[in-house]
Amino acid sequence: MIRYIRRAAGLSLLLLVALLVNAVRVMLVEADELDADPANRRIAISRWERPRGEILVDGRPVTGSRDSGQQLRWERTYPQGPLYAPVTGYASQTYGTSLLENAEDELLSGADPMLAPLPLWNDVTRGRNPGGDVVTTIRARMQEAAFRGLAGRRGAVVAIQPWSGRILALVSSPSYDPGVLSGTGREVKRSWQHLTTSPDQPMLARAIRQTYPPGSTFKIVTAAAALDAGVVTDVDAPTDTPDPFVLPGTRRVLPNEAKGCADASLADAVRWSCNTVMAGLGVKVGLEKMVEAAGNFGFNDPGLRVPSWVARSNFDTDMSPDQLALSSIGQFNTAATPLQMALVAAAVANNGEIPRPHLIERTTTAGGTTLTTTVRRTYRRAMTPSTATRLQDLMVRAVTEGTGTNAAIPGARVGGKTGTAQHGPDNTGTPYAWFIAWAQAADSAQPAVAVAVVVEDAEANRTDISGGGDAAPIARAVMEEGLRGEAEGR
Amino acid sequence: MTAAPPPTGAKDGKDARGERGARGAKDPGDAPPPGGCVPKRRGVEFSLLVGAVLISVLGYAEVGLARSGAVPPDAARYGAGLGFLSLLAHLAVRLRAPYADPLLLPIAVLLNGLGLVLIYRLDLETPGDRAAPTQLVWSTLGVGLFIAVVLLIRDHRVLQRYAYLSVAGALALMILPIFFPAVNGARIWIRIGGLSFQPGEFAKILLAVFFAAYLAANRTALAHAGRRIWRLQFPAGRVLGPIVAIWLLSVGVLVLERDLGTSLLFFGLFVIMLYVATGRTGWIAVGLLLASAGAFLVGSLEPHVHGRVQDWLDPYASIRAGDGPGQLAQSLFAFAAGGMQGTGLGLGHSVLIGFAAKSDFILATVGEELGLVGLSAFFLLYALLVARGYRAGLALRDAFGRLLAVGLASIVALQVFVIAGGVTGLIPLTGMAMPFLAQGGSSVVTNWVIVALLVRVSDSARTPRPDTADTGEIAPVTEDTR
């Protein structure tokens, strides 16, 4: 009987080995695959088991976390949701993340290996790090001024510091409260449904994700190209353009909203926003040089990140002369994000150089130790410094005595350019009102702020050379806050 | 057995009823050396018990530290309680089974102690449904029964007299739940007042006792009568009849009650004991044939079982169907999340398994929180327990004792395999309690009785026989020794 007992014991041993081998299969061999299975809630649980790091504006968090007591424990809160939604985006347990919450997710969620003080030791203890913080470049008062200015109308405002590329305000309107998407459940689903189907597209970060025909504000680009290419050498000399202007190769006549544009100088054309002059100059500069100039301002760049991804602004590269003429005044297929047009203003203000725009000043651990600092880098060289100086002058004149008088700030040097972008079939849609500008305090060596404002549903008188009416006051309010901030900062 | 002359086997069978000093059954390999002074090893048992209690308390403290950053205030009380129970059990063993295997009791205490820790840990996830206090009561009862068995059953051979009483009792216990409402699709519960238990658990022991007694008495007939087909020797229907009838009856009852884990366990137990008793490979063949036929029939006809088999073949089907992970998938996720080292006690999410996380799926918590290292340690503890049972079987001199030891050890081994294999996706999942670990009062109590019986037989196996010890005479070898 002993032999059979031994065999029975051998069978038990076999069963034990089978269990161990199978355990190795599940726990080691297939583990990575199982851990990464989307149906495995552990991924979400560990992601939300700590409060996320905060996004800071002016040193104060504009985000928060709430202990939901649920399985996914910490939910994101946004005390001033709609105001900062275009900056922060949402961090939802149901729908993922967007914008800064998305771009800096690793850091905010605590997964970033940089957060571990001793990486190897962390692997051993399996300690989890609290999420790091993101310090933004946004100035709360400018953001608020822009948000107030848009007052719920569809549109966007971008303000940047011309010499550094810091994005000081990034506003999109109408906005939404990202907090309603934070958690899980039916309420969140309903909110999502509502937000994504609303005709107002509140979740669209218009400032960086929506492109608009830039209209007359694009004339700054054309003017820079004409000056750099030597097509215009004296800004006050007549440009030899007829009014009305017949688009080359067609019988279509390009009208002017302004008067006195026949044969006007570049200075007057910028001041009064003459379509004819600028269209003619664009054709004279030529397709190749115009494409190059637009590219030097950042057009046609599909990969810009601030670090949220920025939609590509478009200037067509293959056009007939009449299309080129229309494109040179910001029509046809030309399209730009508000951020792109703020960069145009910044290029002029910063003597032709565009610093890389960025939203993040630095990132820190939860304890405040700096992890990364955004270093100032050149993004594009848009024009020569002398061209920039001349354009500054033209833009200042447009504000002091042209279409942009609504943007004038007493005691400060302000340059601006209005724009009215027509769209829709046969231009029957409500025109978009544009205004781009920069401002320099009288006692400052350099402009403190460049701004671009677009108001979609401008209730503008179509004949009025708009922008100045709807958009310029918003730009002024934002720039005033910018100048005040600069004065206080010194 | 095959090499042994028939009279020996017959003698062995009768010997089982004889007195302890029977010389015929001596096994020189495992018998204590002549000359007396066999170490009792009660000191070893005591220190191992201290270790088992300390490890359990450490686990309890670790859960508290991981969850709330503080040692639970009643950790000392838990340790004292567990220590006190262990001490009582130890004293009972010291008093009435001084030569018992010193590993059995500490392993049982460690498994039960850690089982309580695991259930307490899972209770933290389900504040509305606390199972640890009840489990503690059942564990206390289990230890009480352990002590009672060790004190009252002075010689395991007494049990042989109650073979038919045992089988009647086993059948009654299995049939009883049919008259009670089904719980979760299985009619295996008796619910009286707030207490519920599974009588089928106790039936395991009774059946093992019956099988051991019956096979010990009839093994010669079973092994040598009958006809030979090809190279396999098949037994005669005369001896086989009663045992197969009883087996069929128990399996039938189980299928009716839809408790397939226990059904599988009885089947395996039956085949192993039959093989050990007769050494006929024909039994294995018949067993496997019956098993596959039964498995196929039940698997295709019974929707409950069919679903389990489908789930085993493809645990992730429900995920693809958009219904989220099923229990088995969640269990596999938990094991995978543990990896080599585990997340640490109290830090896993095995509660995602949902229903039965504290009972059938308790091993998933071990896997996730203690990792492959911890899981292997648990497997080895069980293996040690089983090995000690077999070892007692080898050292015993009577056929009934041997078969009983083998049967009891096999119950533990099969239970572990059926449920551990089920929750790790090795075999189709069938409901079964992980011995000592899982929530379930009847299971804990039953396993304590099993350990008590193993303590009793191991004591018999190691007790020096006065006659040989006194004379220093080496008994003639009459039992097969290989």
Side-chain angles (χ1 to χ4, degrees):
Chain A
M1 205 190 276
I2 286 180
R3 190 183 341 163
Y4 310 132
I5 294 179
R6 292 218 164 110
R7 283 194 190 150
L11 173 76
S12 296
L13 185 67
L14 210 66
L15 297 183
L16 172 71
V17 170
L19 284 180
L20 285 173
V21 168
N22 186 58
V24 168
R25 172 183 73 91
V26 175
M27 298 176 75
L28 298 184
V29 180
E30 291 178 4
D32 289 345
E33 198 184 319
L34 292 175
D35 287 343
D37 194 301
N40 196 339
R41 286 273 276 180
R42 282 172 185 74
I43 303 167
I45 289 174
S46 71
R47 182 178 162 78
W48 299 104
E49 74 187 353
R50 294 148 287 173
R52 265 171 95 76
E54 307 296 2
I55 296 175
L56 284 81
V57 168
D58 284 347
R60 271 192 295 275
V62 296
T63 53
S65 282
R66 183 175 78 79
D67 188 350
S68 69
Q70 307 285 308
Q71 199 174 50
L72 306 181
R73 189 159 165 204
W74 292 93
E75 278 178 14
R76 197 55 144 168
T77 58
Y78 299 90
Q80 295 161 281
L83 176 61
Y84 290 106
V87 178
T88 60
Y90 56 81
S92 163
Q93 294 176 347
T94 316
Y95 296 104
T97 54
S98 72
L99 300 176
L100 264 194
E101 294 273 27
N102 178 263
E104 290 298 325
D105 187 45
E106 286 243 304
L107 178 91
L108 291 166
S109 67
D112 195 324
M114 280 203 307
L115 290 166
L118 299 161
L120 261 176
W121 177 243
N122 241 53
D123 282 354
V124 173
T125 60
R126 301 212 181 178
R128 288 159 172 151
N129 304 301
D133 292 344
V134 172
V135 181
T136 67
T137 54
I138 298 290
R139 298 278 156 77
R141 287 211 309 238
M142 296 173 73
Q143 182 86 0
E144 284 157 11
F147 192 73
R148 242 189 342 260
L150 283 170
R153 288 176 291 175
R154 280 201 229 174
V157 177
V158 177
I160 67 176
Q161 198 167 41
W163 53 271
S164 67
R166 289 191 183 108
I167 298 175
L168 304 174
L170 194 72
V171 173
S172 180
S173 172
S175 192
Y176 72 107
D177 180 6
V180 301
L181 302 176
S182 290
T184 54
R186 208 177 313 146
E187 202 57 38
V188 171
K189 282 203 172 102
R190 201 176 306 137
S191 301
W192 174 265
Q193 193 71 21
H194 176 73
L195 288 172
T196 46
T197 54
S198 164
D200 281 340
Q201 295 179 275
M203 286 170 71
L204 177 63
R206 291 175 167 79
I208 54 172
R209 294 280 166 86
Q210 176 71 309
T211 59
Y212 300 91
S216 303
T217 54
F218 190 78
K219 287 169 184 169
I220 299 296
V221 177
T222 308
L227 285 167
D228 270 358
V231 171
V232 175
T233 46
D234 182 355
V235 294
D236 291 314
T239 50
D240 193 19
T241 12
D243 183 16
F245 178 80
V246 180
L247 292 174
T250 67
R251 268 184 271 168
R252 215 176 129 194
V253 172
L254 182 69
N256 269 324
E257 304 280 1
K259 295 198 166 53
C261 282
D263 210 15
S265 67
L266 180 62
D268 288 340
V270 170
R271 190 187 313 157
W272 303 114
S273 199
C274 292
N275 287 344
T276 50
V277 174
M278 302 312 293
L281 284 178
V283 174
K284 279 185 200 159
V285 170
L287 179 67
E288 198 186 325
K289 287 247 166 83
M290 276 304 293
V291 170
E292 191 190 326
N296 286 342
F297 277 90
F299 280 82
N300 296 341
D301 178 359
L304 179 61
R305 292 181 171 275
V306 292
S308 309
W309 166 77
V310 180
R312 173 182 179 274
S313 298
N314 181 65
F315 187 81
D316 272 6
T317 53
D318 184 16
M319 292 183 286
S320 60
D322 58 315
Q323 291 168 342
L324 176 60
L326 285 173
S327 293
S328 301
I329 56 168
Q331 294 181 22
F332 190 56
N333 282 342
T334 307
T337 59
L339 175 68
Q340 172 63 66
M341 293 321 290
L343 292 181
V344 170
V348 174
N350 195 42
N351 298 322
E353 188 244 345
I354 308 177
R356 182 168 286 276
H358 56 272
L359 257 177
I360 297 177
E361 185 76 50
R362 61 198 168 91
T363 58
T364 70
T365 63
T369 312
T370 299
L371 292 172
T372 62
T373 307
T374 308
V375 182
R376 182 203 186 283
R377 279 189 297 161
T378 299
Y379 172 56
R380 289 283 192 276
R381 187 154 283 286
M383 63 195 116
T384 61
S386 65
T387 299
T389 313
R390 287 199 275 182
L391 279 181
Q392 282 172 14
D393 189 39
L394 297 191
M395 286 178 79
V396 168
R397 279 201 249 167
V399 169
T400 49
E401 52 201 68
T403 52
T405 46
N406 275 343
I409 300 170
R413 185 169 173 246
V414 178
K417 180 73 196 82
T418 56
T420 310
Q422 281 147 7
H423 71 113
D426 297 325
N427 297 340
T428 51
T430 318
Y432 299 143
W434 273 98
F435 193 73
I436 65 172
W438 47 267
Q440 178 177 11
D443 52 352
S444 177
Q446 56 194 353
V449 55
V451 64
V453 178
V454 63
V455 182
E456 278 184 45
D457 43 0
E459 288 153 25
N461 182 348
R462 282 177 61 93
T463 53
D464 181 25
I465 303 170
S466 196
D470 279 296
I474 302 173
R476 185 186 60 213
V478 173
M479 289 190 294
E480 276 172 345
E481 289 298 344
L483 294 174
R484 194 173 303 154
E486 185 198 36
E488 284 167 9
R490 269 199 311 256
Chain B
M1 262 327 288
T2 44
T8 317
K11 184 176 179 234
D12 191 288
K14 289 193 188 97
D15 253 5
R17 219 169 284 217
E19 67 277 38
R20 173 178 291 197
R23 290 184 187 182
K26 175 154 192 209
D27 173 5
D30 289 84
C37 66
V38 174
K40 291 178 177 170
R41 302 215 186 280
R42 297 275 62 83
V44 173
E45 182 181 80
F46 183 77
S47 24
L48 286 175
L49 275 175
V50 171
V53 171
L54 284 182
I55 291 173
S56 302
V57 174
L58 185 71
Y60 192 65
E62 209 180 307
V63 170
L65 284 171
R67 299 290 298 205
S68 54
V71 175
D74 53 351
R77 227 175 51 197
Y78 169 68
L82 196 65
F84 179 66
L85 286 176
S86 310
L87 189 67
L88 285 184
H90 173 70
L91 289 177
V93 172
R94 213 177 247 274
L95 190 66
R96 286 291 162 83
Y99 288 95
D101 192 315
L103 280 181
L104 294 168
L105 182 60
I107 290 176
V109 167
L110 181 56
L111 287 172
N112 200 156
L114 289 177
L116 285 168
V117 168
L118 289 170
I119 292 169
Y120 163 76
R121 177 259 170 280
L122 287 169
D123 277 350
L124 298 178
E125 309 274 356
T126 55
D129 173 27
R130 297 176 63 79
T134 322
Q135 185 76 357
L136 190 60
V137 171
W138 282 111
S139 302
T140 311
L141 193 63
V143 176
L145 273 179
F146 172 92
I147 294 169
V149 168
V150 170
L151 290 183
L152 294 180
I153 301 181
R154 305 291 294 272
D155 186 335
H156 64 274
R157 281 169 296 189
V158 173
L159 295 172
Q160 203 170 5
R161 284 180 219 145
Y162 302 111
Y164 287 94
L165 195 62
S166 297
V167 77
L171 288 179
L173 285 176
M174 282 187 287
I175 291 170
L176 209 54
I178 292 185
F179 305 108
F180 287 82
V183 178
N184 305 316
R187 285 182 190 276
I188 51 176
W189 300 87
I190 293 184
R191 208 172 273 264
I192 300 167
L195 277 178
S196 62
F197 58 96
Q198 298 182 25
E201 293 279 348
F202 302 107
K204 287 173 197 165
I205 301 175
L206 296 177
L207 272 186
V209 168
F210 167 70
F211 284 155
Y214 185 87
L215 290 170
N218 296 295
R219 67 198 194 98
T220 323
L222 287 167
H224 297 283
R227 80 198 73 143
R228 202 176 172 83
I229 301 169
W230 188 49
R231 293 177 59 193
L232 305 172
Q233 178 110 25
F234 286 94
R238 178 165 46 84
V239 273
L240 188 59
I243 204 153
V244 168
I246 285 162
W247 173 71
L248 273 181
L249 201 63
S250 63
V251 170
V253 165
L254 288 171
V255 170
L256 285 179
E257 290 172 359
R258 307 169 89 188
D259 179 12
L260 282 138
T262 309
S263 181
L264 205 59
L265 173 71
F266 284 178
F267 180 79
L269 177 67
F270 177 67
V271 170
I272 289 177
M273 289 181 75
L274 209 47
Y275 173 75
V276 169
T278 65
R280 289 279 160 266
T281 37
W283 286 116
I284 309 278
V286 171
L288 286 178
L289 209 70
L290 275 173
S292 17
F296 179 79
L297 266 176
V298 175
S300 47
L301 295 180
E302 236 294 328
H304 182 68
V305 183
H306 186 71
R308 292 285 177 87
V309 174
Q310 290 298 321
D311 213 29
W312 169 63
L313 290 173
D314 186 2
Y316 313 108
S318 63
I319 298 174
R320 283 196 303 280
D323 298 334
Q327 265 188 315
L328 183 57
Q330 287 286 20
S331 170
L332 294 175
F333 284 161
F335 279 103
M340 183 57 94
Q341 301 176 59
T343 57
L345 264 179
L347 297 173
H349 300 288
S350 53
V351 75
L352 287 170
I353 294 166
F355 169 70
K358 293 175 200 171
S359 49
D360 289 3
F361 286 95
I362 190 117
L363 207 60
T365 304
V366 174
E368 177 164 9
E369 306 198 342
L370 300 175
L372 184 60
V373 176
L375 186 68
S376 306
F378 271 96
F379 282 161
L380 290 179
L381 281 178
Y382 285 115
L384 216 50
L385 190 62
V386 172
R388 288 286 152 166
Y390 284 132
R391 199 182 154 84
L394 285 172
L396 274 167
R397 291 163 290 263
D398 65 306
F400 170 71
R402 287 185 161 177
L403 285 168
L404 184 62
V406 168
L408 294 173
S410 300
I411 288 177
V412 175
L414 287 171
Q415 279 190 105
V416 170
F417 180 75
V418 165
I419 186 60
V423 296
T424 54
L426 183 62
I427 56 171
L429 182 64
T430 50
M432 173 78 62
M434 199 73 197
F436 292 111
L437 289 191
Q439 174 199 2
S442 1
S443 166
V444 168
V445 169
T446 306
N447 283 300
W448 271 113
V449 173
I450 289 176
V451 170
L453 289 174
L454 283 176
V455 162
R456 169 52 59 219
V457 292
S458 73
D459 175 56
S460 304
R462 290 184 71 242
T463 306
R465 279 158 298 169
D467 50 353
T468 44
D470 291 343
T471 58
E473 175 194 342
I474 295 171
V477 178
T478 50
E479 171 68 273
D480 53 340
T481 55
R482 298 184 56 213

